[in-house]
Amino acid sequence: MNIQLSWSRRLFIVINYAFLIGLAATCLFPLIHVLAISFSSSTAATSGMVKLWPVDFTFASYEFILHKKEFIRSFEVTLLRTPLGFAVNMLLTVLCAYPLSKEQREFRLRTTYAWYFILTILFSGGLIPWYMTVKTTGLLNTIWALIIPGAVPVFNVILMLNFFRGLPKDIEESAFLDGAGHWTVLWRMYVPLSLPVIATVSLFTLVGHWNAWFDGLVLMNFPEKYPLSTYLQLMVANSSSLNFSGQSLFELIAVSQRTARAAQIFLGALPILLVYPFLQKYFVKGIVLGSVKS
Amino acid sequence: MFKKKMITLIAAAACLLAVTAGCSGKNEGSSPSPSAGASQPSKSSAQPSNSPAEGKADPLGKYDPPIEVTAVRQVNSALKFENGETIQDNAWTQHYANDLGIKLKYLWVVDNTQFEQKLNLMLASGELADIMPVPGVQMRQMNDAGQLEDLTEALDKYGSETTKAFMMKDGGTALNSATFKGKLVGLPLNPGSTDSAPLLWVRKDWLKKLNLPEPQTMEDVFKIAEAFATQDPDGNNKKDTYGLAVAKELYSDYGDLTGIFNGFHAYPTIWVKDASGNLVYGSIQPEMKQALAKLQELYKKGVIDREFGVKNHDALIQDFNAGKVGMYYGLHYSPLLFPDAKKKDPNLDLQAYRLPSIDGQPAKPQTKFNVAEYYVVRKGMTHPEAVVKLMNTYLEPRSREAFPVEKYAIKGDIEKWQYALVKGSNPTQNLDVYAKVTEAFKTNDTSKLDEHTPEPNTYKIVKSYYDGDVNGWGYAMIFGERGAQGILYDYNKNNGYQPTEFISAPSSIMAEKQATLSKLELETFTKIIMGESSVDTFDDFVANWKKLGGDEVTKEVADWKASK
């Protein structure tokens, strides 16, 4: 197996690798930088001495955060919100995608329904109607305000619908012949066969819930109920605020909290980073290849 | 180390600001009611039905039975609590309930950076709280929509001596800004304007090292800046220092250009009188052009950082900490931005100076109208005077035994004074503190420091710095012997400021156009300084500014002036 590579081919491989490594590095550097800052002393961080390696290594900022009630509390909110939101989203995505993946002759109003969903991607009511709807339905200031308004992620439904349509019709028909109903077909055949798309959509949903901060800010009335991203957003946004009012001199001090901020960002991002490798193995194509012999 | 420093500084800053009333209230003898002269408005239908008999109004009287008052508020996300206290239930809310009979209920609480958005949502949804602290723009909007209660009579009848004295300490300008057609619709929280004046800050150790004189004139400033940029003041044999630090925001608390413009007798972003007495916008006056030409020259020479156009205020703070900055324009509190710098380099010797001038005329530092918050009351609330009582109780000088500092003002880095919904402020507090602290140092007698003000604490921190504690450095820079407040005090005594002449909350047109116009201004000036555009583009900028809504805004300001 000693294949002689041509020069141009070798050159391509070298350049290709260099390019991809460079690309990966640009994604990694900011993360490593934040990590280095979080382990550095405040003096070093505020004078911009920290690049990719901690200066004056210390755990002080992590200690500081783990004793911080607000951080822990919003972490809890996120830990509640993400699984709950994930479950609701995934259930509704699958349930919407299945009927919509059928042909017009099987499901007469399919196109109407499809447009009904797609319209919500194209047009939105805007901030105030959104807020008023949540308010009048009594969801405001409850955990459900973060889950119900976005319960059907239409984009994900379309992704899944298209995947369902790509599954060979014959499998489904043979199941019907054997006496299976729609529920059986959906849960026993479609879902197990759609692991790649389910993994993708799961990732979108998890990351989406983990990172969503704006809804928490607007729909929650008290900071105690903010999810982690909202809390982090405020920590980071706050520091660059230049609004000067004589009453808030002390806010300036927040600027030197650079290390603590970095540690919080890192701790906030860590759990969701860990999800990626576990979903990796499902991103395999061609699972249904060879299931139909004709 | 990090934590300890933080705590000291936060404590210091907070104590200074913890408004605890009872200053040497030298109001102008007379303390007229703010509504004096204005025709008393007809009683609205919503006047308190069970208000006590005329003349017996007690500024701190208790409601019996207690009333429930709803409110909204902003809270800084860094605010701390202890012993299970929350923003909804703490020493202040308990004090309101027990001593005033006011049960406070928050409809929502949000971080200060997001307050306006949440407030606008509330206004749109139409369900207002009884008491709302709002910025000027929203106050005007709500007033125009007829949503606000008239507070003229409430303040007149229920305002305590202290409250009224503080309201008049700025000559009543803040109250005026909340008065529309003779009706007072909001209680202003006025931190005073003197603190918004820019000063020149120079590293004296660098001056000494390069044998340079202290800056007296603008020429000195240019000379020093050039030397700082080229003669290696930090002695590391690298050309890594800037002559003049400028942040990309241009107008900022540190790395500011306002001060240099003021040296050219130009007053950007504020409204000034022109030769014929009309109010005009400072940024479009011809003096600006000269200053910009000079800045362009400085940039070309490499005195201003090549990258200033992308360096924000935060990045510039890092540069100061790293010892790259030797001169900048900035506000009185700017040393508090670099608590680490002095620790890192004990030789650091920062000094504030009066603004140098380009000619024989002394330069006037500009000040802005600084009221960020008004306490307004929803139209139809049954007890509009409750808001006045809340302010009274905040400002009332009380004994420390009954109202312990640790419970109501500050404990360590827990700033409990912030829990109060309605706060009051002394517009000249920092100047007063400076005067008293300086006096105490001179006479070595601390007995004259007023325990109801931040004076004793400020004295303590400044003294700790003189005794060798580096944590007090920032405070010594402000209130110490050669401190910034001393310069502001002088300016104030000699009427040396150029205050904005438009003393009002921004109008709706102004609020609408402001963003576009400011962006145009910032972009044009940045390009001119960086030499991308010639200085003559300033003339185009003026024309554009007028066309893009500046003329409308100017007309509104003129109308405002005519109505006064």
Side-chain angles (χ1 to χ4, degrees):
Chain A
M1 288 294 284
N2 207 350
I3 302 165
Q4 196 65 40
L5 291 174
S6 71
W7 273 108
S8 55
R9 176 77 192 156
R10 281 191 187 177
L11 191 68
F12 169 76
I13 288 175
V14 170
I15 292 177
N16 196 24
Y17 270 87
F19 175 73
L20 289 177
I21 289 173
L23 207 63
T26 51
C27 297
L28 266 179
F29 277 168
L31 203 65
I32 298 177
H33 180 61
V34 169
L35 189 62
I37 285 185
S38 71
F39 282 116
S40 300
S41 76
S42 136
T43 317
T46 50
S47 16
M49 283 155 55
V50 185
K51 297 284 184 293
L52 293 178
W53 199 252
V55 179
D56 305 335
F57 190 86
T58 164
F59 281 112
S61 26
Y62 285 91
E63 239 171 80
F64 175 68
I65 290 166
L66 293 177
H67 287 110
K68 214 167 163 188
K69 232 174 35 206
E70 293 84 357
F71 181 82
I72 309 283
R73 206 167 39 204
S74 25
F75 211 111
E76 285 167 6
V77 174
T78 294
L79 284 186
L80 176 64
R81 175 211 180 140
T82 309
L84 203 59
F86 173 73
V88 171
N89 279 164
M90 288 311 285
L91 184 72
L92 291 179
T93 307
V94 172
L95 288 184
C96 284
Y98 179 75
L100 291 179
S101 71
K102 298 296 175 201
E103 297 294 326
Q104 187 98 35
R105 62 187 156 77
E106 291 170 88
F107 178 23
R108 222 158 24 87
L109 289 177
R110 178 190 171 271
T111 324
T112 320
Y113 276 103
W115 276 107
Y116 172 75
F117 282 110
I118 289 170
L119 268 180
T120 64
I121 298 189
L122 301 177
F123 305 101
S124 97
L127 178 64
I128 290 168
W130 174 60
Y131 175 81
M132 307 256 302
T133 310
V134 175
K135 187 166 148 44
T136 44
T137 46
L139 296 176
L140 205 66
N141 210 23
T142 66
I143 185 86
W144 296 105
L146 305 178
I147 291 162
I148 306 283
V152 181
V154 179
F155 180 73
N156 292 352
V157 170
I158 293 174
L159 270 187
M160 198 167 281
L161 170 167
N162 280 327
F163 194 91
F164 283 175
R165 297 189 124 192
L167 295 175
K169 277 271 161 283
D170 315 273
I171 315 180
E172 182 190 325
E173 275 163 17
S174 66
F176 282 133
L177 278 182
D178 289 338
H182 279 292
W183 281 107
T184 322
V185 169
L186 172 59
W187 295 115
R188 310 281 291 269
M189 308 196 68
Y190 271 63
V191 171
L193 285 175
S194 307
L195 284 181
V197 76
I198 288 178
T200 313
V201 169
S202 299
L203 195 66
F204 287 167
T205 312
L206 283 174
V207 174
H209 271 290
W210 193 274
N211 286 346
W213 63 273
F214 188 72
D215 52 355
L217 182 71
V218 176
L219 302 177
M220 291 297 163
N221 282 348
F222 297 98
E224 295 94 86
K225 297 196 172 172
Y226 285 165
L228 188 63
S229 321
T230 309
Y231 172 76
L232 288 179
Q233 159 73 20
L234 295 180
M235 288 297 295
V236 176
N238 230 340
S239 67
S240 53
S241 106
L242 279 179
N243 290 341
F244 166 65
S245 75
Q247 296 278 323
S248 53
L249 252 190
F250 79 103
E251 284 169 30
L252 302 165
I253 311 299
V255 173
S256 62
Q257 284 186 331
R258 199 168 257 113
T259 55
R261 241 161 52 214
Q264 292 182 70
I265 292 172
F266 195 77
L267 280 186
L270 195 62
I272 205 72
L273 281 178
L274 293 179
V275 170
Y276 280 83
F278 289 107
L279 288 178
Q280 193 83 26
K281 66 171 176 181
Y282 294 109
F283 295 119
V284 186
K285 265 198 179 166
I287 256 177
V288 289
L289 277 187
S291 61
V292 183
K293 294 265 191 294
S294 46
Chain B
M1 184 191 81
F2 161 70
K3 266 166 78 182
K4 198 175 144 208
K5 173 210 71 201
M6 286 280 308
I7 288 166
T8 331
L9 265 167
I10 292 179
C15 272
L16 178 74
L17 291 157
V19 183
T20 33
C23 267
S24 48
K26 291 185 215 93
N27 53 326
E28 280 74 57
S30 64
S31 59
S33 87
S35 62
S39 59
Q40 280 293 336
S42 56
K43 283 198 174 182
S44 76
S45 56
Q47 282 301 309
S49 46
N50 59 343
S51 68
E54 206 72 18
K56 278 179 79 182
D58 179 0
L60 293 170
K62 186 176 176 179
Y63 289 103
D64 193 22
I67 58 169
E68 189 180 274
V69 172
T70 57
V72 300
R73 68 169 293 169
Q74 50 183 318
V75 169
N76 186 289
S77 51
L79 187 61
K80 296 195 174 76
F81 298 92
E82 65 160 6
N83 299 337
E85 286 194 331
T86 65
I87 198 68
Q88 287 135 287
D89 181 20
N90 52 58
W92 279 97
T93 56
Q94 284 156 19
H95 163 63
Y96 293 160
N98 299 339
D99 300 335
L100 294 176
I102 296 176
K103 277 198 223 148
L104 193 58
K105 189 181 156 220
Y106 287 112
L107 295 183
W108 49 262
V109 171
V110 75
D111 185 82
N112 45 358
T113 52
Q114 308 294 334
F115 180 71
E116 277 194 47
Q117 184 157 32
K118 192 97 182 173
L119 185 69
N120 289 337
L121 274 176
M122 181 185 73
L123 295 183
S125 75
E127 196 197 332
L128 305 188
D130 292 335
I131 297 178
M132 297 162 282
V134 300
V137 180
Q138 277 82 355
M139 177 179 69
R140 274 182 91 134
Q141 272 173 15
M142 292 161 91
N143 183 53
D144 290 346
Q147 289 172 314
L148 297 185
E149 189 65 52
D150 182 1
L151 298 175
T152 322
E153 203 184 318
L155 179 62
D156 193 19
K157 251 166 78 181
Y158 287 89
S160 68
E161 289 298 305
T162 324
T163 303
K164 285 181 178 167
F166 273 32
M167 287 286 175
M168 294 314 291
K169 235 183 161 180
D170 59 353
T173 45
L175 272 180
N176 256 333
S177 72
T179 308
F180 301 92
K181 301 203 179 97
K183 280 203 290 187
L184 176 73
V185 297
L187 301 182
L189 179 64
N190 186 7
S193 58
T194 59
D195 286 347
S196 66
L199 295 170
L200 175 65
W201 294 83
V202 184
R203 277 187 70 156
K204 237 176 148 181
D205 51 328
W206 286 13
L207 285 183
K208 241 176 241 159
K209 187 152 184 191
L210 301 179
N211 269 325
L212 292 162
E214 299 202 355
Q216 303 279 342
T217 66
M218 220 53 172
E219 282 314 312
D220 293 340
V221 172
F222 301 143
K223 226 187 301 163
I224 295 169
E226 214 176 321
F228 279 1
T230 54
Q231 296 178 18
D232 191 27
D234 57 348
N236 65 354
N237 289 324
K238 270 191 247 165
K239 197 168 177 294
D240 58 354
T241 50
Y242 320 134
L244 181 70
V246 181
K248 74 166 183 182
E249 291 92 351
L250 300 191
Y251 313 127
S252 171
D253 54 354
Y254 155 67
D256 172 59
L257 284 181
T258 322
I260 210 166
F261 286 129
N262 290 169
F264 283 85
H265 311 299
Y267 306 99
T269 70
I270 66 168
W271 294 83
V272 290
K273 274 200 185 107
D274 69 359
S276 52
N278 295 323
L279 294 192
V280 292
Y281 187 58
S283 298
I284 58 166
Q285 300 313 308
E287 290 87 359
M288 290 292 291
K289 196 173 169 181
Q290 297 171 22
L292 285 168
K294 188 69 202 180
L295 285 167
Q296 191 184 54
E297 189 190 319
L298 290 178
Y299 182 83
K300 219 177 276 168
K301 278 191 199 157
V303 171
I304 295 173
D305 182 12
R306 291 260 152 226
E307 290 171 4
F308 95 90
V310 292
K311 266 212 178 140
N312 66 14
H313 168 270
D314 274 13
L316 210 56
I317 289 175
Q318 290 193 25
D319 282 344
F320 189 95
N321 285 329
K324 292 182 184 172
V325 172
M327 179 157 69
Y328 69 88
Y329 284 93
L331 297 187
H332 75 105
Y333 64 79
S334 50
L336 287 181
L337 295 169
F338 342 105
D340 289 312
K342 180 74 178 173
K343 267 176 233 168
K344 202 160 160 277
D345 181 2
N347 294 324
L348 172 74
D349 183 11
L350 196 62
Q351 174 64 46
Y353 292 95
R354 298 175 73 92
L355 292 185
S357 164
I358 192 71
D359 51 28
Q361 294 285 347
K364 290 174 156 187
Q366 68 181 58
T367 60
K368 56 185 174 193
F369 179 61
N370 220 358
V371 176
E373 210 170 64
Y374 296 87
Y375 300 104
V376 300
V377 170
R378 169 182 66 88
K379 182 131 208 147
M381 186 205 174
T382 33
H383 298 280
E385 75 286 353
V387 70
V388 180
K389 288 188 176 183
L390 292 180
M391 187 173 278
N392 290 341
T393 194
Y394 187 82
L395 291 174
E396 195 65 17
R398 301 176 201 266
S399 78
R400 285 306 187 206
E401 285 75 48
F403 279 78
V405 180
E406 298 77 38
K407 194 168 166 205
Y408 291 96
I410 186 145
K411 182 175 171 192
D413 60 343
I414 307 170
E415 300 166 25
K416 301 189 171 178
W417 59 274
Q418 294 226 46
Y419 302 167
L421 169 64
V422 177
K423 305 175 190 82
S425 70
N426 171 1
T428 56
Q429 173 158 290
N430 283 341
L431 298 180
D432 296 349
V433 169
Y434 170 78
K436 295 290 271 299
V437 167
T438 309
E439 185 64 29
F441 273 115
K442 216 178 271 170
T443 56
N444 249 332
D445 171 16
T446 56
S447 62
K448 292 230 175 75
L449 299 178
D450 186 343
E451 63 155 356
H452 298 112
T453 69
E455 289 161 15
N457 201 40
T458 309
Y459 176 85
K460 213 170 77 192
I461 299 173
V462 174
K463 186 152 189 336
S464 78
Y465 173 67
Y466 292 150
D467 294 342
D469 179 2
V470 75
N471 286 317
W473 176 72
Y475 262 70
M477 288 292 99
I478 301 172
F479 293 101
E481 198 188 344
R482 305 174 303 161
Q485 283 293 339
I487 297 172
L488 297 180
Y489 187 84
D490 264 11
Y491 274 125
N492 194 49
K493 216 167 66 186
N494 307 319
N495 235 342
Y497 292 115
Q498 172 65 57
T500 182
E501 303 277 351
F502 179 62
I503 300 169
S504 162
S507 62
S508 47
I509 293 191
M510 203 183 267
E512 186 192 318
K513 305 280 181 195
Q514 192 66 54
T516 323
L517 294 177
S518 301
K519 195 163 165 233
L520 176 72
E521 181 175 335
L522 186 72
E523 271 174 17
T524 313
F525 291 178
T526 307
K527 275 190 184 152
I528 292 180
I529 296 170
M530 296 181 80
E532 273 175 44
S533 315
S534 80
V535 179
D536 290 327
T537 39
F538 179 77
D539 302 326
D540 302 336
F541 158 70
V542 174
N544 278 333
W545 187 87
K546 288 182 174 165
K547 232 188 306 176
L548 287 171
D551 273 340
E552 285 170 71
V553 176
T554 310
K555 189 175 166 299
E556 261 206 340
V557 172
D559 290 347
W560 168 83
K561 182 152 186 267
S563 74
K564 286 288 154 185

